[in-house]
Amino acid sequence: MERFTKLDDFQRQAWNLLFRATIEHSSAMRTPALATMDDRGIPRVRTVVLRKSETEKRSLYYFTDIRSDKCRELKHQPRASALFWDPRRHIQLRCTGQIDIHHGDDEAAVFWRDISKHGRKAYATEHAPGTPLGQYATGLPDNWSEQDLAATESYQDNFALLVHRIESMDALHLERDGHQRAEFHWESNQWRSNWVVP
Ligand SMILES: Cc1cc2nc3c(=O)[nH]c(=O)nc-3n(C[C@H](O)[C@H](O)[C@H](O)COP(=O)(O)O)c2cc1C
């Protein structure tokens, strides 16, 4: 990847990579690490799948189980940070902003409709993610394999759409002749950007 000479080009490429990650399943950027803060101020981080990105809305979309720890943490502290790394283009992105949880509303329903039975498995466990088990178990209902897609509708109750509205982005480009790093902040309805020391 060539060096960026303009901040605008760097930012355009960053959002372009976030968009491509949602359509190229082999993209490493498809599985960012999402960091939240628990109620004791301790950071918690986990891998999620980037389902959609919208440059105009500065938004990144993830799916999760409403019963998960991350949702509890987001209700307490809605600001979160997502970390992306593209090993082919040597670009790291740190995207920070507020996450809105959509649960049982029209926005969540639009995404739920298109999730296959295989995908719905993530929301079909009888108990909340992280519940201790006396012995090994998948947590799925005993008759899971016999259920057809229509029978999995009730698991929508556990499904949540997370919409991450990006307020700041830190972009780093590793380059043989010298790294490049820039910050982009959304302020007064526009992006303000500057180069920073890598
Ligand atoms: C490759 C990969 C993709 C994952 N995608 C998601 C995802 O899209 N949503 C999700 O809630 N958990 C996903 N997980 C599981 C989370 O990393 C995590 O284990 C789980 O959500 C529980 O996190 P929590 O207890 O912090 O809420 C994924 C894990 C891996 C390894």
Side-chain angles (χ1 to χ4, degrees), residues 124-137:
T125 57
E126 286 176 313
H127 300 287
T131 304
L133 291 166
Q135 57 185 33
Y136 161 75

Side-chain angles (χ1 to χ4, degrees), residues 31 44 46-49 51 63-65 68-70:
T31 47
R44 306 229 29 236
R46 79 286 290 162
T47 310
V48 292
V49 175
R51 305 287 174 174
F63 297 165
T64 197
D65 189 313
S68 65
D69 284 355
K70 70 182 82 51

Side-chain angles (χ1 to χ4, degrees), residues 47-175:
T47 310
V48 292
V49 175
L50 176 67
R51 305 287 174 174
K52 179 178 174 180
S53 91
E54 276 189 314
T55 307
E56 286 301 306
K57 293 188 176 170
R58 302 179 278 119
S59 293
L60 306 176
Y61 298 72
Y62 325 107
F63 297 165
T64 197
D65 189 313
I66 191 68
R67 302 168 297 174
S68 65
D69 284 355
K70 70 182 82 51
C71 284
R72 196 168 30 257
E73 288 152 13
L74 287 167
K75 283 176 194 160
H76 183 76
Q77 170 51 270
R79 286 224 151 62
S81 199
L83 173 70
F84 300 84
W85 164 238
D86 185 323
R88 211 151 58 86
R89 298 173 184 88
H90 301 158
I91 290 180
Q92 170 183 270
L93 302 176
R94 292 194 290 176
C95 304
T96 305
Q98 182 157 324
I99 290 190
D100 287 329
I101 302 175
H102 292 269
H103 177 233
D105 61 11
D106 290 350
E107 285 91 336
V110 166
F111 286 89
W112 173 260
R113 269 205 305 265
D114 291 337
I115 302 178
S116 65
K117 183 188 166 190
H118 173 69
R120 290 180 179 190
K121 196 159 55 192
Y123 316 102
T125 57
E126 286 176 313
H127 300 287
T131 304
L133 291 166
Q135 57 185 33
Y136 161 75
T138 63
L140 291 167
D142 288 341
N143 67 346
W144 171 255
S145 53
E146 288 101 64
Q147 291 186 23
D148 61 12
L149 186 67
T152 65
E153 277 306 313
S154 63
Y155 305 120
Q156 186 174 359
D157 290 349
N158 299 329
F159 172 72
L161 168 71
L162 304 180
V163 182
H164 198 179
R165 207 87 199 288
I166 304 308
E167 294 151 12
S168 68
M169 187 190 287
D170 178 320
L172 174 68
H173 178 210
L174 299 185
E175 246 274 318

